[in-house]
Amino acid sequence: MAHMSLYELNSLIKSELQNSMAPSYWVIAEISELRENVKGHCYMELVEKERNFIQAKIRANIWAYTYRTIKQQFNQATGSPLKAGIKVLFNVSINFHEVYGMSLTVNNIDPNFTIGEKTKQREETIKKLREEGYLELNKALPLPLVPQRLAIISSSTAAGYGDFMDQLSNNTQQYDFKTDTFNAVMQGSETEVSIGKALANIKERSSEFDLIVIIRGGGAQTDLDSFDAYGLAKLIAAAPLPVLTGIGHERDETIADLVANTSLKTPTAVAEFIINGMDRFYNSIYELNIRLERGIRDKFSRAKDQLSHQGHRLERAGSTYLKQADNLLRDKAHMLKFASKAKVEKQRNSLDNLQNKIKLIDPENVFKRGYSITLKNGRSINNQEVMVGDNLVTKNHQSTIKSKVTDIENE
């Protein structure tokens, strides 16, 4: 039986591949891993997925000289760097090494395919959000009448954050704002999770705020991919308060901008929008005060006229009433005068009769008619018991007789 060594087999495979395969092929694949080494070479793992299941996988590399050109062209064309998680159209050559096995060498990349894929994915995300009712959800929340308490999601070290706070603090109208910053990563793969945590924290304290502000500033356009993510867009749309975005870019709106209540280009523009909201409230209060003052002044003027008119009427009526009252009082005074005289005379007669009665029962007058009274201890003996040996006093008209009881005869 003929046989060969493993090296001979691998050499045969290599030879057959070189003889039967074309020099290069255009292949669509997703980058699942990507790393650069110190010499500038790029090493990748390419995969093809079907419903998140890997159908095929192979190693690929881009040599440093080629990689510098490809990386720059791809970034300029797509606005995004080569990175894991994106689909790319590669021009590749097939390599087979006796030790390292099968791999691909990337000769070129067509960035137009990736642009189309990103556009397609963006459109699918927007369609899904619209169908699920998230696209207009946050826009349905009314902006606060007084946008004064702000929950800010940003990186506290970002220049855009500093511009926003400076604009807010130094507003010419000297409005006072209460701000609470929820620090978050605003670019890269951690953006979605970091902003999601900040939104969750704000939701727990939603009664403390009027608005949510999501701002970043400057930076490369390539850092905005996270703001097109479905998960982040859904969280922003479902926020309990109106969300303002100022992501700081000049290209078309991100999906985060689309689902926000109000999107503005820069953090400074967001600050100006909030200050203008305070202006609207202040102006409405000022105009209301003017209308109120004018209304009160008009009502006061009408009331003054009415009071003046009523005063004249009351003056005329009062004069008539006073005359009538004066005549009535004069008549009543005459009647009271005659009535009081009659009453006084009657009372005088009653007093005279009473005085005569008192005179009749006066003890002195009784004594004059021949009567006397006997007392024991200053009281009449008719009202107490008299005993032998008691001292008695008898009074009559002419004298007072003192005696002592020596005998008592009962009838």
Side-chain angles (χ1 to χ4, degrees):
M1 178 182 293
H3 63 275
M4 64 178 65
S5 67
L6 178 59
Y7 176 78
E8 290 174 333
L9 176 62
N10 283 354
S11 295
L12 178 61
I13 294 171
K14 179 179 180 180
S15 177
E16 290 294 325
L17 285 173
Q18 288 175 345
N19 293 330
S20 62
M21 302 292 289
S24 66
Y25 295 88
W26 285 98
V27 177
I28 297 172
E30 178 182 327
I31 302 174
S32 64
E33 295 180 14
L34 184 149
R35 61 186 177 84
E36 300 175 5
N37 74 355
V38 292
K39 293 183 178 180
H41 302 308
C42 175
Y43 297 100
M44 298 179 292
E45 184 175 83
L46 306 182
V47 297
E48 181 176 339
K49 294 179 181 178
E50 180 69 28
R51 296 182 180 177
N52 290 327
F53 290 100
I54 296 176
Q55 304 294 313
K57 180 170 64 173
I58 194 169
R59 291 181 297 110
N61 58 70
I62 311 175
W63 303 124
Y65 181 79
T66 306
Y67 183 54
R68 283 195 299 271
T69 303
I70 287 178
K71 178 169 66 172
Q72 182 179 5
Q73 290 176 347
F74 186 86
N75 203 330
Q76 288 177 346
T78 66
S80 176
L82 277 173
K83 60 184 179 179
I86 62 173
K87 276 188 177 182
V88 180
L89 178 58
F90 299 94
N91 181 268
V92 299
S93 298
I94 301 170
N95 302 310
F96 187 85
H97 192 275
E98 292 83 349
V99 176
Y100 302 110
M102 181 83 75
S103 67
L104 302 177
T105 297
V106 176
N107 306 312
N108 204 352
I109 291 176
D110 183 357
N112 293 320
F113 173 83
T114 304
I115 293 171
E117 280 294 305
K118 289 178 69 174
T119 301
K120 178 182 176 183
Q121 184 177 1
R122 173 185 166 88
E123 290 174 352
E124 289 176 350
T125 300
I126 294 173
K127 180 181 178 183
K128 185 177 181 181
L129 290 168
R130 181 180 290 109
E131 290 173 349
E132 294 175 348
Y134 287 108
L135 209 58
E136 301 294 329
L137 185 61
N138 198 259
K139 289 180 174 61
L141 298 177
L143 288 170
L145 185 62
V146 187
Q148 201 164 19
R149 304 175 302 164
L150 311 177
I152 305 166
I153 300 176
S154 182
S155 170
S156 58
T157 59
Y161 172 78
D163 293 341
F164 173 84
M165 295 301 294
D166 182 66
Q167 186 81 0
L168 212 61
S169 301
N170 298 314
N171 68 87
T172 56
Q173 297 86 345
Q174 297 184 336
Y175 298 133
D176 186 26
F177 294 94
K178 176 185 177 296
T179 61
D180 201 340
T181 301
F182 295 79
N183 201 42
V185 177
M186 301 305 288
Q187 62 184 46
S189 59
E190 298 179 27
T191 301
E192 182 177 346
V193 173
S194 185
I195 294 178
K197 288 180 180 179
L199 286 168
N201 291 335
I202 292 171
K203 185 175 182 180
E204 293 178 358
R205 299 169 51 192
S206 59
S207 62
E208 301 176 26
F209 305 107
D210 304 313
L211 284 175
I212 298 172
V213 176
I214 300 177
I215 52 174
R216 66 185 292 280
Q221 298 295 324
T222 58
D223 298 330
L224 296 174
D225 288 348
S226 298
F227 291 92
D228 282 335
Y230 168 79
L232 179 58
K234 185 176 177 180
L235 290 174
I236 292 173
L241 297 169
V243 177
L244 307 184
T245 56
I247 298 176
H249 57 88
E250 296 300 328
R251 71 168 195 176
D252 293 338
E253 289 181 313
T254 65
I255 295 178
D257 290 320
L258 291 175
V259 298
N261 184 286
T262 304
S263 66
L264 299 117
K265 288 293 184 184
T266 64
T268 302
V270 175
E272 276 301 319
F273 181 82
I274 294 170
I275 293 169
N276 288 338
M278 291 293 290
D279 282 338
R280 287 192 295 272
F281 174 71
Y282 176 81
N283 291 336
S284 66
I285 294 297
Y286 181 77
E287 290 173 4
L288 181 62
N289 184 62
I290 293 295
R291 292 201 303 269
L292 185 62
E293 184 180 346
R294 187 183 300 119
I296 291 174
R297 189 166 55 246
D298 292 343
K299 286 188 176 181
F300 181 79
S301 178
R302 289 195 296 271
K304 184 179 179 181
D305 292 340
Q306 290 176 354
L307 284 173
S308 178
H309 178 68
Q310 292 292 339
H312 291 308
R313 290 181 59 191
L314 287 172
E315 185 178 357
R316 291 192 296 270
S319 177
T320 302
Y321 292 151
L322 285 174
K323 289 179 180 178
Q324 294 175 350
D326 185 58
N327 294 334
L328 182 61
L329 286 173
R330 193 175 289 109
D331 294 341
K332 289 291 184 181
H334 289 303
M335 292 174 62
L336 285 172
K337 182 178 181 181
F338 292 125
S340 60
K341 281 184 177 179
K343 192 166 186 178
V344 168
E345 188 65 29
K346 183 179 179 181
Q347 291 294 333
R348 183 180 290 113
N349 293 335
S350 296
L351 285 173
D352 290 343
N353 293 334
L354 183 59
Q355 188 174 19
N356 291 332
K357 289 179 180 180
I358 291 172
K359 285 181 179 180
L360 289 175
I361 62 174
D362 187 337
E364 291 296 327
N365 292 328
V366 173
F367 290 155
K368 287 178 181 180
R369 293 198 299 271
Y371 292 97
S372 65
I373 183 171
T374 302
L375 307 173
K376 175 186 173 182
N377 297 327
R379 294 166 53 201
S380 172
I381 61 174
N382 292 328
N383 298 321
Q384 57 183 315
E385 183 180 3
V386 178
M387 301 176 64
V388 175
D390 288 342
N391 293 317
L392 304 178
V393 176
T394 302
K395 290 184 177 184
N396 58 22
H397 176 60
Q398 295 179 337
S399 59
T400 298
I401 302 169
K402 295 181 179 180
S403 61
K404 187 172 186 178
V405 179
T406 58
D407 186 32
I408 299 174
E409 293 182 4
N410 295 318
E411 295 182 0

